[in-house]
Amino acid sequence: MEISLHVNGKTYRLNVDPRKRLIDVLRDDLNLTGTKEGCGEGECGACTVILDGQAVNSCLVLACQARDKEILTVEGLARNGELDSLQKSFIEHGAVQCGFCTPGMLMSAKALLIKNPHPTEQEIKEAVAGNLCRCTGYNKIIAAIKKVAEDS
Amino acid sequence: MSAMFKLVGKPAPRHDAWAKAKGDQLYSDDFTMPGMLYGKALRSKYPAAIIKSIDTSKAKALPGVHAVLTAKDVPMNVEISKFGQMKDVGGGFEGLYKVLADGKVRFKGEAIALVAAETEELAEEACRLIEVDYEVQPGVFDPEEALKPGAYIVSSDEGENESNLIMESHINKGDVEKAFAEADVIVENEYRVPPVDHAYLETEGGVAWVDDNGVITMRVGTQVLEHYRTIAKVMGLPQNKVRNMSVPMGGGFGGKEDITVETFLCLLANATKRPVKMVWSREESLEVHSKRHPEILRYKTAATKDGKITAQKVEIIMDGGGYKLLTGWVQMYSTVNAPGCYNIPNVKVDSYSALTNNTPSSANRGFGCCQANFASELQMDELAAKLGMSPLEIRLKNCLRNGDEICTGFIPQGHIALEEIAKKAWEGLEATGPKPDYVDGKKIGRGLAIGMMSYGRLTFMHDSSRVGLRIELDGSVTLRAGVPDLGGGQASVLCQIVAEELGIPMEKVHPYIMDTHLTPLCGTTTATRQLYMSGNAALVTVKVLKERIIKKAAEMLDAKPEEVQLINEKACLINNPLKSVPFVQVVGALSNDGVELFHEGQFNAPFTDVPNLHDMKGRIWPDFTYSAHAVEVAVDEETGKFEVRKVVLCYDVGKAINKNSCEGQLEGGCVYNQGYVTENMGWENGITKARSFAEYLIPTAVDAPEIETIMVESGGGLGPYGAKGVGEPADNSIAPAIVNAIYDAVGVRLKEMPVTPEKLLKAIQEKNK
Ligand code: FES
Ligand code: FES
């Protein structure tokens, strides 16, 4: 079917199989491979994107369900070549190890800060509780998000 | 000395952090090629069965299917693998690697056939059309049962089909029986530890194709680039006709140490002459890739009434699962670490490993060490409780100190900081305030555990690493290293070392890594060896170039080489920094002179002979990293649930070359093995019950404790600048510290992991009866 997707400020007209998941359209059709697949079942958060301001697992959303909505992926976080403050903070805090969880983690954090610019530590933890990370032990990730919230 | 470092010791962001934070980093699944097919494996339905026949005709007839392969299509389906190492060590250390099942199926999910098709769906359908005639066998799922005479034999392959015993290994020091006869106290226990999945966020996957020179080429993230040799052998090709242009992994933790998709992809690409992609599903990954060895550990400890341990006797039974893989190596770690990090005059360890019809066991961060550490650290706490000593006291009384020998009689060369770090961790936790009895209705407890784990490979493997450097004419540097990067900053730290030595910023060193055709081979990213081995190789290499540069600069500055240093992209006089010449000018002058601006250097670890496994003696590893974890938990006595509230961990890291990376390893390892206490594969008669992240629960951001990391930098390691490796030691003593803290809270000590709420509640209720 023909749909329009608004991704990172650009509009795409696409012909997609109605059963195709959003993650596959992003990765395969739009070559936005920053969104990762860790489980395909909504359990790991590696595929998190922001859909109309809401963090969602793009492996659980069909592409056609996202039609005409605003989609933000990790590739859309930087503005005019300037990294988002979350990206900078992750780099500075050493919150990125293998980096496979990082895009999803950033998108969950971004969605939180859009809604709640000054979250408590507990709110931060809960916002990224659906984003598994096997490398970092989370402490540096929480600290990186907290710093951005404090500085804003 | 440390004041002189410009880069070493700083929390430098890694070279790849930007790409990863932008989503630009490409991983194994991010490559697509024109004409690419999708590969799938048909996997065994049963853990134990005999394959009577396989009919692939229907699958082959399906339009869009380009290849269906079974064992008979693999040029050398069974090979005795060295698992990527360079030295012939023989015996239990080399294992049978079988590409596709034939004869007996040895575990559920073992690959039987491979398919390549136009789409993933077609490949799946083709797998469903393959007809396998199985004769189901009883199988054996308990390693002790497997070792009994008359047990079901797991393997049908020559050399393995007489018994399920993989290996036995023994340590005998002093006279344990005499010590038991004279002991004031004896503590005797049996411990059981479960399998663990690595649960990296990125499952196994990659692409392969045949290039225009006929080289089978792949892009597969692996911890062991050197597997290309095994793959070549299996395919009947010369080693220079197989290439892995590997990619960074989305986590490894030992799970990408054995061959995963590589051989499957190469076979399919070769058969179809088309690029092929294969990515395992999470379910596949949980079910089929190797796990941490489940072990049964039986301890008997003797001590005097003032708390000096006089004997430790340990029996270990390891479950190797369906294939031997790295069991022999892992067994070395369990065996030698069994007595714990203590100075004990009389030690006897008897360990046995067995094939069973469970998922194979192999490398998992901690590699046999954390199993033994769990048991020995619970044993210590029980001994302390029996003697009325504190957990810290008993450890200080017995822990290894400089000059002490370990149970094989070897005296570690590196600094032993156990006493200092045990104190610092415990005191760090106490400094957070007096322990409350209850918080939010939950009982609070505190626990301690310490440990040691080697960095660098078993010395009888004769390990080596190489790094190549080329100085460009603009003064930037290209570093070439076959260093698999699994997220620990393995490549970045090499750049940091080179930049430090040449006095240039880290951004000026560009790493080209992980390409078997183009990069000097660094050896495996396993055994906590990359910083130690490749860090030293980088240092050896850069020093050769540095010498050339300094010599030329001295000429240009009219000085002696020993008067010149490289700093801030200049060569200058140590005593008069104003007298200087830009680094790039020296490079230009060397180029004009025709002096080589490149070098490839090698570092060798200490070499030993294979030990006598019936009486292991001497050096087994280069050195050790020592750990201490002090933990506070809160236990809900009504439900048996517990949470880890705080951790203070202390390590002697020797030298933290990159502070962020080093801390990141320690924190990551801590939470990784916090999971050891609760994660549950749910194995039952060879069937894995936990087949998704909804069932296999790893710690989340909400579960992770607040961690205080204390790094001691003794400079007493064998790595560059006195560094020690931390990757695996990072997860060593956290699990027993948690279980000891639970005991402190509610007075019950669970000797079997996983510690589930049901088990804990039952134990609490029994105690309160
Ligand atoms: S891939 Fe979507 S939640 Fe795991
Ligand atoms: S950085 Fe590897 S999973 Fe988070």
Side-chain angles (χ1 to χ4, degrees), chain B residues 738-757:
Chain B
I738 292 171
V739 178
N740 286 339
I742 293 173
Y743 172 81
D744 182 55
V746 292
V748 299
R749 198 183 313 277
L750 290 187
K751 291 165 186 149
E752 185 179 330
M753 294 192 288
V755 176
T756 61

Side-chain angles (χ1 to χ4, degrees), chain A residues 27 36 97-98 134 138 140, chain B residues 20 27 30 198 663 699:
Chain A
R27 288 176 52 84
K36 301 296 176 203
Q97 287 194 26
C98 82
R134 194 58 153 170
Y138 302 103
K140 293 197 186 301
Chain B
K20 286 176 174 174
Y27 299 84
D30 296 335
H198 311 75
E663 246 176 50

Side-chain angles (χ1 to χ4, degrees), chain A residues 95-102 105 132-138 141, chain B residues 199-202 249-251 253 486-487:
Chain A
V96 181
Q97 287 194 26
C98 82
F100 205 79
C101 71
T102 308
M105 205 55 98
L132 298 177
C133 173
R134 194 58 153 170
C135 299
T136 63
Y138 302 103
I141 292 174
Chain B
Y200 21 67
L201 268 277
E202 177 208 41
M249 281 157 277
F253 314 110
L486 46 66

